[in-house]
Amino acid sequence: MLIDTHCHLDFPDFEAERDDIIARAHAAGVKQMVTISTRVRRLPELLKITEKYPSVFCSVGTHPNNADEELDITAEELIKIANSHEKIVAIGEAGLDYFYDTQKPEDQKTGLLRHIEAARVTGLPLVIHSRSADDDMAAILKGESAKGAFPFILHCFSAGPELAKTGAELGGYVSFSGILTFPKSQDIRDIAATVPLDRLLVETDAPYLAPKRWRGKRNEPSYVINTAEVLAEAHDMSYAEMARITTENAFRCFSKMPRLG
């Protein structure tokens, strides 16, 4: 069994064949999925999906590349929304993205701090997007953790070793996507090998970043098995054992998400 801890099933790429995509995931052993919010105001679309498919859960939050659209949404509103529905099992994704110069860093930081507060109060994990922002992200995680612990995930990890180390030391999870499988990603595989086993998660970030076995295709939750296989190789263990470990980690991290079946 595997859990795809980060996908975007509400994106238009999946609309025409969502039933088949979820059926393929189940057939591949991917029994549960978390579809991640990128705009709070689009949450109703996510909830419709989760209500149709028992195995799909969701988060609520604002992606850093959309930060300026939802600066009016407070931490208190995020907390209220997160507590309003049993299928909302995480906060985010929020964070810092300095690779794309589309949002002011101060707006991204404002949003991130609100999401951190919501995670701290609700106890739901904060799904963190961090790209080309290692130093600022590490500083915020350390400073905010000192004010009070909060659960978090460094999703789709492609940063440097120090951020992975900081995340794990603060009690966060490090989640690996199809990037881990790319031929030129040996540095990410080396980092993955250093992450403690109880801090590891796997994801697709579908429809993006299809792993090596399906490179060039639109990504989907069933493909997370290839990422888990490569993560198992990085830790010199069997795929079955890595699947067991990452699944147990996912249920511990997403503590609101029930274990189905």
Side-chain angles (χ1 to χ4, degrees):
M1 178 178 175
L2 283 173
I3 296 177
D4 183 359
T5 61
H6 192 118
C7 56
H8 296 283
L9 293 174
D10 61 318
F11 281 18
D13 310 67
F14 295 126
E15 189 169 355
E17 53 172 331
R18 199 174 287 120
D19 288 353
D20 292 338
I21 287 164
I22 291 173
R24 285 196 292 270
H26 293 166
V30 182
K31 299 302 185 183
Q32 293 176 224
M33 293 145 266
V34 185
T35 186
I36 302 297
S37 173
T38 57
R39 291 178 174 86
V40 174
R41 291 188 175 90
R42 288 184 59 182
L43 180 63
E45 298 170 39
L46 284 180
L47 288 176
K48 285 181 183 178
I49 294 170
T50 68
E51 289 164 357
K52 181 176 180 180
Y53 305 102
S55 62
V56 178
F57 300 81
C58 73
S59 68
V60 59
T62 307
H63 192 287
N65 289 334
N66 304 323
D68 66 350
E69 298 178 27
E70 299 192 330
L71 287 173
D72 58 318
I73 296 175
T74 64
E76 290 73 22
E77 288 178 275
L78 287 169
I79 293 164
K80 182 178 179 180
I81 295 168
N83 287 329
S84 70
H85 200 290
E86 63 182 2
K87 280 298 193 89
I88 301 174
V89 299
I91 304 294
E93 63 184 290
L96 304 175
D97 192 324
Y98 298 166
F99 182 82
Y100 292 107
D101 187 23
T102 61
Q103 300 289 309
K104 297 175 182 178
E106 55 266 34
D107 288 348
Q108 296 183 49
K109 290 177 182 178
T110 295
L112 175 57
L113 292 174
R114 291 174 181 173
H115 284 72
I116 287 174
E117 179 62 14
R120 186 183 286 122
V121 171
T122 62
L124 301 181
L126 170 59
V127 180
I128 294 177
H129 174 109
S130 181
R131 189 170 187 188
S132 302
D134 288 25
D135 291 345
D136 281 3
M137 181 59 70
I140 289 172
L141 290 177
K142 289 176 182 177
E144 289 298 310
S145 293
K147 299 175 185 177
F150 59 95
F152 66 89
I153 303 161
L154 292 172
H155 115 85
C156 192
F157 193 84
S158 60
E162 286 304 312
L163 184 57
K165 183 173 183 287
T166 295
E169 288 177 346
L170 292 173
Y173 293 82
V174 184
S175 182
F176 292 94
S177 69
I179 293 173
L180 185 76
T181 72
F182 298 172
K184 294 182 180 180
S185 292
Q186 186 58 49
D187 57 335
I188 303 301
R189 290 188 286 276
D190 291 343
I191 292 169
T194 71
V195 176
L197 292 176
D198 65 347
R199 300 290 101 191
L200 291 169
L201 295 172
V202 289
E203 64 170 271
T204 57
D205 203 14
Y208 311 116
L209 303 173
K212 181 181 177 182
R213 189 183 300 169
W214 292 280
R215 196 73 179 123
K217 296 184 178 181
R218 179 204 60 195
N219 204 2
E220 61 178 70
S222 62
Y223 296 172
V224 76
I225 60 175
N226 193 196
T227 299
E229 289 168 344
V230 174
L231 188 57
E233 292 171 2
H235 277 269
D236 193 24
M237 64 171 57
S238 70
Y239 165 77
E241 183 65 3
M242 182 57 72
R244 183 192 67 79
I245 287 170
T246 57
T247 296
E248 292 304 315
N249 291 348
F251 283 118
R252 189 187 324 113
C253 176
F254 297 93
S255 58
K256 185 177 173 181
M257 180 171 66
R259 188 187 297 260
L260 303 180

